[in-house]
Amino acid sequence: MSQNPAPSGRGRKIVVALLVVALAAALAWVAILLMQPADGPGEDGPGTTDSPGTSAPASPSATPSPTSSASDVPSAAPSLPAAEAATVVWPDPGGTLRYGAPEEAAAGFAEELAGFTDPVYGDFMQGDSRSGELEVRAISDGAVTTVLLRQLTDGNWYAIGAMSSEIVLDSPRSGDPITSPVALSGSSRAFEGTVEVVIRSHGSAEALGTGIVMGGAGPDLGPFSGSIQWDNPGSGGGVLLLFETSAKDGSVWTAAAVPVAFAAQQ
C-alpha cells in the first residue's frame, strides 16, 4: 500500500493563508455582534420590531386629573324681579337656594328660618295655580303655623309669609318699609304672654335685632304693642319673625312672619 506524500513547502503556505483569512472573517463577525445593543436588534426594546407604515408604541403618560363639567358646577340662580323679591321671607331671593316644590319651601321656612325642632307637616292646600298654604305644628296637636307659599316667575316656590293661631300681627304689614326702632302691634296668647321678635336680613344668619312684646296669656287673644331696636342697614329687605316658645323645653311652638323693607334713616 502506498502512502500520501507530505505537503510541499508551497502547499503549506497556501493552507496557512487560508487559515488566516478564516480567522480574520471570524473576528470581523464577532466585532459586528458586539456592536449590537444588549436588547437585540431594533430601537424599541426587547422583542420589538417596527412594521412598515406603523410607528412605535408611545410611552405611558400620567392619568389626567378629572375636571368638572358644566353640569357639575352649580350656577347662580336667576335674580327675581325686585317687586317679587320684596314679597319673599324664605329662601333668600338673592341667593342660590331654590325649591322646586311647595312642600320643600315650607319645610325650609319651618326648620331653617323659624327654627322648629321636629315639626309635623300637613298637606299642601292649593289656592290658585301658583299659590297655596301648608300647616306646620311643633307636635301633632300643637298650635298651627300656616306657611303661605307662592311659585314666582322663575318657576320656583317661596314662602311669602306665615300666620299663627296664637300670634296675629297687625303692624307692620307685609312689605312695609321699617326703620329703627320699629313699632309692633297685634294680639297673641302665649306662655306668660311673651312673644319673641327677630329681625333678619336676607342672606344673613345673624339677626339685625331681637326683643319681646307682651300679649295675652289666657285662652283668649290679648293685645300687644312695643318697639324693637335693631341695626338698620338702610336698604335691602328681610323678614320680621315673631314666635312663641314651648313652656316645656323652650323649643319653637308657633311662628308668624312678614317680609319687610329696610328704609333709610331720616
Short mmCIF file of all heavy atoms in Angstrom, two decimals, residues 201-258:
data_model
loop_
_atom_site.label_atom_id
_atom_site.label_comp_id
_atom_site.label_asym_id
_atom_site.label_seq_id
_atom_site.Cartn_x
_atom_site.Cartn_y
_atom_site.Cartn_z
N SER A 201 -82.04 90.07 57.97
CA SER A 201 -81.91 90.43 56.56
C SER A 201 -81.74 89.17 55.73
O SER A 201 -81.23 88.15 56.22
CB SER A 201 -80.72 91.36 56.33
OG SER A 201 -79.51 90.71 56.66
N HIS A 202 -82.15 89.23 54.46
CA HIS A 202 -81.97 88.08 53.57
C HIS A 202 -80.49 87.78 53.41
O HIS A 202 -79.66 88.67 53.27
CB HIS A 202 -82.57 88.38 52.20
CG HIS A 202 -84.07 88.40 52.19
ND1 HIS A 202 -84.84 87.38 52.72
CD2 HIS A 202 -84.96 89.31 51.70
CE1 HIS A 202 -86.12 87.66 52.56
NE2 HIS A 202 -86.22 88.82 51.95
N GLY A 203 -80.16 86.50 53.42
CA GLY A 203 -78.80 86.07 53.17
C GLY A 203 -77.87 86.15 54.36
O GLY A 203 -76.67 85.93 54.21
N SER A 204 -78.37 86.46 55.55
CA SER A 204 -77.52 86.56 56.73
C SER A 204 -78.06 85.67 57.84
O SER A 204 -79.26 85.65 58.09
CB SER A 204 -77.43 88.01 57.22
OG SER A 204 -76.70 88.09 58.44
N ALA A 205 -77.13 84.97 58.50
CA ALA A 205 -77.54 84.14 59.63
C ALA A 205 -77.62 84.93 60.93
O ALA A 205 -78.18 84.45 61.92
CB ALA A 205 -76.55 82.98 59.80
N GLU A 206 -77.07 86.13 60.92
CA GLU A 206 -77.07 86.96 62.12
C GLU A 206 -78.31 87.86 62.15
O GLU A 206 -78.66 88.48 61.14
CB GLU A 206 -75.81 87.83 62.19
CG GLU A 206 -74.52 87.02 62.26
CD GLU A 206 -74.42 86.21 63.53
OE1 GLU A 206 -74.93 86.67 64.57
OE2 GLU A 206 -73.84 85.10 63.48
N ALA A 207 -78.95 87.94 63.30
CA ALA A 207 -80.12 88.81 63.45
C ALA A 207 -79.69 90.27 63.51
O ALA A 207 -78.66 90.61 64.10
CB ALA A 207 -80.89 88.44 64.71
N LEU A 208 -80.48 91.14 62.87
CA LEU A 208 -80.24 92.58 62.98
C LEU A 208 -80.73 93.12 64.31
O LEU A 208 -80.23 94.15 64.80
CB LEU A 208 -80.95 93.31 61.84
CG LEU A 208 -80.45 93.00 60.42
CD1 LEU A 208 -81.37 93.66 59.39
CD2 LEU A 208 -79.03 93.47 60.24
N GLY A 209 -81.70 92.46 64.89
CA GLY A 209 -82.23 92.89 66.17
C GLY A 209 -83.17 91.84 66.75
O GLY A 209 -83.77 91.06 66.00
N THR A 210 -83.28 91.81 68.07
CA THR A 210 -84.19 90.89 68.75
C THR A 210 -84.86 91.63 69.91
O THR A 210 -84.37 92.66 70.38
CB THR A 210 -83.45 89.66 69.32
OG1 THR A 210 -82.49 90.10 70.28
CG2 THR A 210 -82.75 88.88 68.21
N GLY A 211 -85.98 91.10 70.37
CA GLY A 211 -86.68 91.70 71.51
C GLY A 211 -87.93 90.90 71.83
O GLY A 211 -88.14 89.80 71.27
N ILE A 212 -88.77 91.42 72.70
CA ILE A 212 -90.03 90.76 73.04
C ILE A 212 -91.15 91.79 73.10
O ILE A 212 -90.91 92.98 73.32
CB ILE A 212 -89.94 90.00 74.38
CG1 ILE A 212 -89.63 90.98 75.53
CG2 ILE A 212 -88.92 88.89 74.32
CD1 ILE A 212 -89.74 90.34 76.91
N VAL A 213 -92.36 91.32 72.88
CA VAL A 213 -93.57 92.11 73.13
C VAL A 213 -94.48 91.25 74.01
O VAL A 213 -94.42 90.02 73.96
CB VAL A 213 -94.29 92.51 71.82
CG1 VAL A 213 -93.46 93.52 71.04
CG2 VAL A 213 -94.58 91.28 70.93
N MET A 214 -95.28 91.90 74.83
CA MET A 214 -96.12 91.19 75.79
C MET A 214 -97.58 91.25 75.36
O MET A 214 -98.13 92.34 75.15
CB MET A 214 -95.96 91.78 77.18
CG MET A 214 -94.52 91.78 77.69
SD MET A 214 -93.79 90.12 77.78
CE MET A 214 -94.86 89.37 79.04
N GLY A 215 -98.18 90.07 75.21
CA GLY A 215 -99.59 90.00 74.83
C GLY A 215 -100.38 89.21 75.84
O GLY A 215 -100.06 89.16 77.03
N GLY A 216 -101.43 88.52 75.37
CA GLY A 216 -102.30 87.77 76.27
C GLY A 216 -101.67 86.46 76.69
O GLY A 216 -100.83 85.89 76.00
N ALA A 217 -102.08 85.97 77.88
CA ALA A 217 -101.57 84.71 78.40
C ALA A 217 -102.69 83.71 78.66
O ALA A 217 -102.41 82.58 79.04
CB ALA A 217 -100.78 84.96 79.68
N GLY A 218 -103.94 84.12 78.45
CA GLY A 218 -105.06 83.24 78.75
C GLY A 218 -105.55 82.51 77.53
O GLY A 218 -104.88 82.45 76.49
N PRO A 219 -106.73 81.97 77.61
CA PRO A 219 -107.29 81.24 76.48
C PRO A 219 -107.66 82.14 75.32
O PRO A 219 -107.77 81.67 74.18
CB PRO A 219 -108.54 80.57 77.06
CG PRO A 219 -108.92 81.41 78.23
CD PRO A 219 -107.63 81.94 78.78
N ASP A 220 -107.86 83.44 75.58
CA ASP A 220 -108.23 84.38 74.52
C ASP A 220 -107.03 85.21 74.10
O ASP A 220 -106.11 85.47 74.88
CB ASP A 220 -109.35 85.30 74.99
CG ASP A 220 -110.62 84.54 75.35
OD1 ASP A 220 -110.93 83.55 74.65
OD2 ASP A 220 -111.28 84.93 76.33
N LEU A 221 -107.05 85.67 72.84
CA LEU A 221 -106.01 86.57 72.37
C LEU A 221 -106.07 87.88 73.13
O LEU A 221 -107.16 88.42 73.36
CB LEU A 221 -106.18 86.83 70.87
CG LEU A 221 -105.95 85.64 69.91
CD1 LEU A 221 -106.40 86.00 68.51
CD2 LEU A 221 -104.50 85.21 69.91
N GLY A 222 -104.89 88.39 73.51
CA GLY A 222 -104.81 89.68 74.16
C GLY A 222 -103.91 90.60 73.38
O GLY A 222 -102.96 90.14 72.70
N PRO A 223 -104.11 91.91 73.38
CA PRO A 223 -103.34 92.83 72.57
C PRO A 223 -101.89 92.95 73.05
O PRO A 223 -101.58 92.79 74.22
CB PRO A 223 -104.08 94.16 72.74
CG PRO A 223 -104.75 94.04 74.06
CD PRO A 223 -105.11 92.61 74.22
N PHE A 224 -101.03 93.23 72.08
CA PHE A 224 -99.65 93.58 72.42
C PHE A 224 -99.23 94.79 71.61
O PHE A 224 -99.78 95.07 70.54
CB PHE A 224 -98.68 92.41 72.17
CG PHE A 224 -98.48 92.03 70.72
CD1 PHE A 224 -97.69 92.79 69.86
CD2 PHE A 224 -99.08 90.88 70.20
CE1 PHE A 224 -97.50 92.42 68.54
CE2 PHE A 224 -98.89 90.50 68.89
CZ PHE A 224 -98.10 91.27 68.05
N SER A 225 -98.26 95.50 72.12
CA SER A 225 -97.63 96.60 71.40
C SER A 225 -96.25 96.80 72.00
O SER A 225 -96.01 96.48 73.17
CB SER A 225 -98.45 97.89 71.48
OG SER A 225 -98.53 98.33 72.82
N GLY A 226 -95.36 97.29 71.20
CA GLY A 226 -94.00 97.52 71.66
C GLY A 226 -93.12 97.95 70.51
O GLY A 226 -93.56 98.04 69.36
N SER A 227 -91.86 98.23 70.80
CA SER A 227 -90.91 98.62 69.77
C SER A 227 -89.60 97.86 69.96
O SER A 227 -89.23 97.50 71.09
CB SER A 227 -90.65 100.13 69.79
OG SER A 227 -90.10 100.51 71.04
N ILE A 228 -88.92 97.61 68.85
CA ILE A 228 -87.68 96.82 68.84
C ILE A 228 -86.57 97.65 68.20
O ILE A 228 -86.72 98.16 67.08
CB ILE A 228 -87.86 95.51 68.06
CG1 ILE A 228 -89.05 94.70 68.61
CG2 ILE A 228 -86.58 94.69 68.09
CD1 ILE A 228 -88.88 94.23 70.02
N GLN A 229 -85.46 97.79 68.90
CA GLN A 229 -84.28 98.42 68.34
C GLN A 229 -83.51 97.40 67.49
O GLN A 229 -83.39 96.24 67.87
CB GLN A 229 -83.36 98.93 69.46
CG GLN A 229 -83.91 100.09 70.27
CD GLN A 229 -83.73 101.44 69.57
OE1 GLN A 229 -83.02 101.53 68.56
NE2 GLN A 229 -84.38 102.46 70.10
N TRP A 230 -82.98 97.86 66.37
CA TRP A 230 -82.24 96.94 65.51
C TRP A 230 -81.25 97.72 64.66
O TRP A 230 -81.34 98.95 64.53
CB TRP A 230 -83.19 96.12 64.63
CG TRP A 230 -84.13 96.94 63.79
CD1 TRP A 230 -85.21 97.65 64.23
CD2 TRP A 230 -84.08 97.14 62.39
NE1 TRP A 230 -85.84 98.28 63.19
CE2 TRP A 230 -85.15 97.99 62.04
CE3 TRP A 230 -83.23 96.69 61.38
CZ2 TRP A 230 -85.40 98.39 60.73
CZ3 TRP A 230 -83.48 97.08 60.08
CH2 TRP A 230 -84.56 97.92 59.76
N ASP A 231 -80.26 97.04 64.11
CA ASP A 231 -79.23 97.66 63.28
C ASP A 231 -79.73 97.75 61.84
O ASP A 231 -79.70 96.76 61.09
CB ASP A 231 -77.94 96.85 63.34
CG ASP A 231 -77.34 96.82 64.73
OD1 ASP A 231 -77.49 97.82 65.44
OD2 ASP A 231 -76.74 95.79 65.10
N ASN A 232 -80.20 98.93 61.46
CA ASN A 232 -80.82 99.12 60.15
C ASN A 232 -79.74 99.37 59.09
O ASN A 232 -79.03 100.36 59.16
CB ASN A 232 -81.78 100.30 60.22
CG ASN A 232 -82.53 100.53 58.91
OD1 ASN A 232 -82.42 99.74 57.98
ND2 ASN A 232 -83.28 101.62 58.86
N PRO A 233 -79.62 98.49 58.09
CA PRO A 233 -78.65 98.74 57.03
C PRO A 233 -79.06 99.85 56.08
O PRO A 233 -78.26 100.30 55.26
CB PRO A 233 -78.56 97.38 56.31
CG PRO A 233 -79.89 96.75 56.55
CD PRO A 233 -80.31 97.19 57.92
N GLY A 234 -80.33 100.28 56.15
CA GLY A 234 -80.79 101.39 55.33
C GLY A 234 -81.22 101.05 53.93
O GLY A 234 -81.70 101.90 53.18
N SER A 235 -81.08 99.80 53.53
CA SER A 235 -81.52 99.36 52.20
C SER A 235 -81.65 97.84 52.22
O SER A 235 -81.21 97.17 53.15
CB SER A 235 -80.53 99.78 51.11
OG SER A 235 -79.27 99.16 51.32
N GLY A 236 -82.26 97.32 51.17
CA GLY A 236 -82.47 95.88 51.10
C GLY A 236 -83.74 95.47 51.82
O GLY A 236 -84.62 96.29 52.11
N GLY A 237 -83.83 94.19 52.09
CA GLY A 237 -85.03 93.68 52.74
C GLY A 237 -84.75 92.43 53.53
O GLY A 237 -83.65 91.88 53.51
N GLY A 238 -85.77 91.99 54.25
CA GLY A 238 -85.61 90.81 55.08
C GLY A 238 -86.95 90.36 55.63
O GLY A 238 -87.99 90.51 54.97
N VAL A 239 -86.92 89.86 56.85
CA VAL A 239 -88.12 89.27 57.43
C VAL A 239 -88.26 89.68 58.89
O VAL A 239 -87.27 89.78 59.62
CB VAL A 239 -88.09 87.72 57.29
CG1 VAL A 239 -86.83 87.15 57.92
CG2 VAL A 239 -89.32 87.08 57.91
N LEU A 240 -89.48 89.94 59.29
CA LEU A 240 -89.84 90.18 60.69
C LEU A 240 -90.52 88.90 61.17
O LEU A 240 -91.57 88.52 60.66
CB LEU A 240 -90.78 91.37 60.80
CG LEU A 240 -91.32 91.70 62.19
CD1 LEU A 240 -90.21 92.09 63.14
CD2 LEU A 240 -92.36 92.82 62.10
N LEU A 241 -89.90 88.25 62.16
CA LEU A 241 -90.35 86.94 62.63
C LEU A 241 -90.77 87.05 64.09
O LEU A 241 -90.03 87.57 64.93
CB LEU A 241 -89.22 85.93 62.49
CG LEU A 241 -89.47 84.50 62.95
CD1 LEU A 241 -90.47 83.81 62.03
CD2 LEU A 241 -88.15 83.72 62.98
N LEU A 242 -91.98 86.58 64.40
CA LEU A 242 -92.48 86.53 65.77
C LEU A 242 -92.75 85.07 66.11
O LEU A 242 -93.31 84.33 65.29
CB LEU A 242 -93.77 87.35 65.92
CG LEU A 242 -93.67 88.85 65.61
CD1 LEU A 242 -93.99 89.10 64.14
CD2 LEU A 242 -94.64 89.63 66.50
N PHE A 243 -92.37 84.65 67.32
CA PHE A 243 -92.62 83.27 67.67
C PHE A 243 -92.82 83.10 69.17
O PHE A 243 -92.39 83.91 69.98
CB PHE A 243 -91.50 82.36 67.17
CG PHE A 243 -90.14 82.66 67.71
CD1 PHE A 243 -89.65 82.00 68.83
CD2 PHE A 243 -89.33 83.61 67.09
CE1 PHE A 243 -88.40 82.27 69.33
CE2 PHE A 243 -88.06 83.88 67.58
CZ PHE A 243 -87.59 83.21 68.71
N GLU A 244 -93.53 82.03 69.48
CA GLU A 244 -93.77 81.62 70.86
C GLU A 244 -92.99 80.36 71.12
O GLU A 244 -92.93 79.46 70.25
CB GLU A 244 -95.26 81.38 71.09
CG GLU A 244 -95.61 80.87 72.48
CD GLU A 244 -97.04 80.37 72.59
OE1 GLU A 244 -97.81 80.53 71.62
OE2 GLU A 244 -97.38 79.80 73.65
N THR A 245 -92.38 80.24 72.29
CA THR A 245 -91.63 79.04 72.64
C THR A 245 -92.44 78.15 73.58
O THR A 245 -93.36 78.61 74.27
CB THR A 245 -90.29 79.40 73.29
OG1 THR A 245 -90.51 80.21 74.43
CG2 THR A 245 -89.39 80.12 72.30
N SER A 246 -92.07 76.89 73.61
CA SER A 246 -92.76 75.90 74.44
C SER A 246 -92.42 76.09 75.91
O SER A 246 -91.26 76.30 76.28
CB SER A 246 -92.36 74.50 73.99
OG SER A 246 -92.78 73.53 74.92
N ALA A 247 -93.45 76.00 76.78
CA ALA A 247 -93.22 76.06 78.22
C ALA A 247 -92.47 74.83 78.71
O ALA A 247 -91.83 74.85 79.76
CB ALA A 247 -94.55 76.18 78.95
N LYS A 248 -92.50 73.76 77.93
CA LYS A 248 -91.88 72.50 78.34
C LYS A 248 -90.38 72.51 78.16
O LYS A 248 -89.62 72.17 79.08
CB LYS A 248 -92.51 71.34 77.55
CG LYS A 248 -91.92 69.98 77.88
CD LYS A 248 -92.59 68.91 77.05
CE LYS A 248 -91.97 67.53 77.34
NZ LYS A 248 -92.61 66.46 76.51
N ASP A 249 -89.91 72.89 76.96
CA ASP A 249 -88.47 72.77 76.69
C ASP A 249 -87.87 73.99 75.99
O ASP A 249 -86.69 73.96 75.61
CB ASP A 249 -88.18 71.52 75.87
CG ASP A 249 -88.94 71.48 74.55
OD1 ASP A 249 -89.53 72.52 74.16
OD2 ASP A 249 -88.95 70.42 73.90
N GLY A 250 -88.64 75.04 75.78
CA GLY A 250 -88.11 76.25 75.15
C GLY A 250 -87.98 76.18 73.64
O GLY A 250 -87.47 77.11 73.02
N SER A 251 -88.44 75.09 73.01
CA SER A 251 -88.39 75.00 71.55
C SER A 251 -89.49 75.85 70.93
O SER A 251 -90.43 76.26 71.60
CB SER A 251 -88.54 73.53 71.12
OG SER A 251 -89.79 73.02 71.55
N VAL A 252 -89.34 76.12 69.63
CA VAL A 252 -90.33 76.94 68.93
C VAL A 252 -91.67 76.21 68.91
O VAL A 252 -91.76 75.04 68.51
CB VAL A 252 -89.85 77.26 67.51
CG1 VAL A 252 -90.95 77.97 66.72
CG2 VAL A 252 -88.59 78.11 67.55
N TRP A 253 -92.73 76.90 69.33
CA TRP A 253 -94.07 76.34 69.39
C TRP A 253 -94.91 76.77 68.21
O TRP A 253 -95.64 75.97 67.62
CB TRP A 253 -94.71 76.76 70.71
CG TRP A 253 -96.08 76.23 70.97
CD1 TRP A 253 -97.24 76.95 71.03
CD2 TRP A 253 -96.46 74.87 71.21
NE1 TRP A 253 -98.31 76.14 71.28
CE2 TRP A 253 -97.85 74.84 71.41
CE3 TRP A 253 -95.75 73.67 71.28
CZ2 TRP A 253 -98.55 73.67 71.67
CZ3 TRP A 253 -96.45 72.50 71.54
CH2 TRP A 253 -97.84 72.51 71.74
N THR A 254 -94.81 78.03 67.84
CA THR A 254 -95.54 78.57 66.68
C THR A 254 -94.87 79.85 66.24
O THR A 254 -94.12 80.47 67.00
CB THR A 254 -97.02 78.81 67.02
OG1 THR A 254 -97.73 79.21 65.84
CG2 THR A 254 -97.19 79.88 68.07
N ALA A 255 -95.13 80.27 64.99
CA ALA A 255 -94.44 81.44 64.45
C ALA A 255 -95.32 82.18 63.45
O ALA A 255 -96.20 81.59 62.81
CB ALA A 255 -93.13 81.02 63.77
N ALA A 256 -95.04 83.48 63.33
CA ALA A 256 -95.65 84.31 62.29
C ALA A 256 -94.52 85.11 61.64
O ALA A 256 -93.51 85.41 62.30
CB ALA A 256 -96.70 85.25 62.89
N ALA A 257 -94.67 85.44 60.36
CA ALA A 257 -93.61 86.15 59.66
C ALA A 257 -94.17 87.00 58.54
O ALA A 257 -95.15 86.61 57.87
CB ALA A 257 -92.59 85.15 59.10
N VAL A 258 -93.52 88.15 58.31
CA VAL A 258 -93.85 89.01 57.16
C VAL A 258 -92.56 89.52 56.56
O VAL A 258 -91.57 89.73 57.26
CB VAL A 258 -94.75 90.21 57.57
CG1 VAL A 258 -96.11 89.75 58.02
CG2 VAL A 258 -94.06 91.08 58.62
#
